[in-house]
């Protein structure tokens, strides 16, 4: 009997129900669950809630990786109701390391500083072979532009083989298909 693969989904905490990013994240969660994957998120609002909701509504298992430090900074913050299993850490570093290291694939939806940190850490650990190879998929034009500008400025400081660790897609459907193709 094989254990289902875990896919970590990164993204902003700000999108609310009815926004395009929320709708897309919900679709992504559903597509992954329908393909038999466990969805892991930071467990709270926005993209985390939407992808958890989509996965749960599609009959999938959802892991929420939460953090006491974040909850102390945001009064009343609790895991979203679609989290079936909570894994709790004291600080943000432990939470982030778990989401990066314990998944078999990672997908980044639109987001801010936290999402950029998740992408950079995952990419760096893949580049240094500190974690097993896995798909790191960036969804949308924003991440494509950010990476493009970074690579232009970095010049020959980033090797082509390290650039190839990133997979860029325009839609969540493409991201889900890529996960299935790679795992």
């Amino acid at each position: 009997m094989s254990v289902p693969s875990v896919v970590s989904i990164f993204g902003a905490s700000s999108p609310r129900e009815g926004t395009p990013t929320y709708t897309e994240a919900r679709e992504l969660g559903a597509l992954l669950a329908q393909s038999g994957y466990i969805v892991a998120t930071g467990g709270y609002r926005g993209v985390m809630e939407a992808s958890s909701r989509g996965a749960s509504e599609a009959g999938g298992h959802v892991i929420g990786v939460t953090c006491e430090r974040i909850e102390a900074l945001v009064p009343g913050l609790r895991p979203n109701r679609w989290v079936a299993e909570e894994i709790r850490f004291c600080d943000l570093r432990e939470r982030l390391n778990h989401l990066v290291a314990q998944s078999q694939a990672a997908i980044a939806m639109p987001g801010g500083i936290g999402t950029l940190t998740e992408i950079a850490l995952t990419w760096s650990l893949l580049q240094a072979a500190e974690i097993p190879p896995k798909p790191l998929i960036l969804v949308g034009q924003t991440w494509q532009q950010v990476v493009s500008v970074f690579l232009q400025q970095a010049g020959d400081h980033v090797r082509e083989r390290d650039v190839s660790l990133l997979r860029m897609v325009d839609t969540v459907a493409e991201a889900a298909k890529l996960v299935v193709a790679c795992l």
Side-chain angles (χ1 to χ4, degrees), residues 108-121:
M109 295 288 296
I113 295 168
T115 308
L116 182 60
T117 301
E118 292 158 341
I119 293 167
L121 179 63

Side-chain angles (χ1 to χ4, degrees), residues 50-166:
S51 54
S52 297
R53 181 178 179 179
S56 180
E57 291 173 340
H61 185 72
V62 176
I63 299 171
V65 183
T66 61
C67 173
E68 292 173 18
R69 175 78 176 140
I70 292 172
E71 290 177 14
L73 293 172
V74 183
L77 184 65
R78 297 289 173 256
N80 70 68
R81 67 183 179 146
W82 290 280
V83 169
E85 176 184 352
E86 182 181 12
I87 299 173
R88 192 164 180 77
F89 291 100
C90 292
D91 65 48
L92 193 56
R93 285 182 301 271
E94 292 174 325
R95 174 183 181 239
L96 178 55
N97 283 328
H98 183 86
L99 281 165
V100 169
Q102 299 303 314
S103 65
Q104 285 71 54
I107 300 173
M109 295 288 296
I113 295 168
T115 308
L116 182 60
T117 301
E118 292 158 341
I119 293 167
L121 179 63
T122 306
W123 193 13
S124 181
L125 293 177
L126 286 169
Q127 180 266 336
E130 191 158 323
I131 57 176
K134 67 180 77 183
L136 173 54
I137 304 165
L138 311 184
V139 179
Q141 291 296 312
T142 299
W143 294 127
Q144 292 174 30
Q145 291 170 5
V146 166
V147 170
S148 177
V149 168
F150 169 71
L151 293 173
Q152 288 170 8
Q153 296 300 312
D156 62 356
H157 299 301
V158 180
R159 298 173 296 199
E160 186 57 40
R161 71 177 186 194
D162 297 330
V163 175
S164 71
L165 296 169
L166 298 175

Side-chain angles (χ1 to χ4, degrees), residues 6-64:
V6 175
V7 179
S8 288
I9 300 175
F10 306 132
S13 63
S14 57
R16 299 292 179 245
E17 186 171 4
T19 64
T21 299
Y22 189 100
T23 301
E24 290 166 359
R26 187 174 173 186
E27 177 186 352
L28 177 60
L31 290 169
L32 293 170
Q34 290 163 359
S35 295
Y37 298 103
I38 294 170
V39 168
T41 74
Y44 298 115
R45 309 185 271 224
V47 166
M48 297 170 279
E49 174 186 307
S51 54
S52 297
R53 181 178 179 179
S56 180
E57 291 173 340
H61 185 72
V62 176
I63 299 171

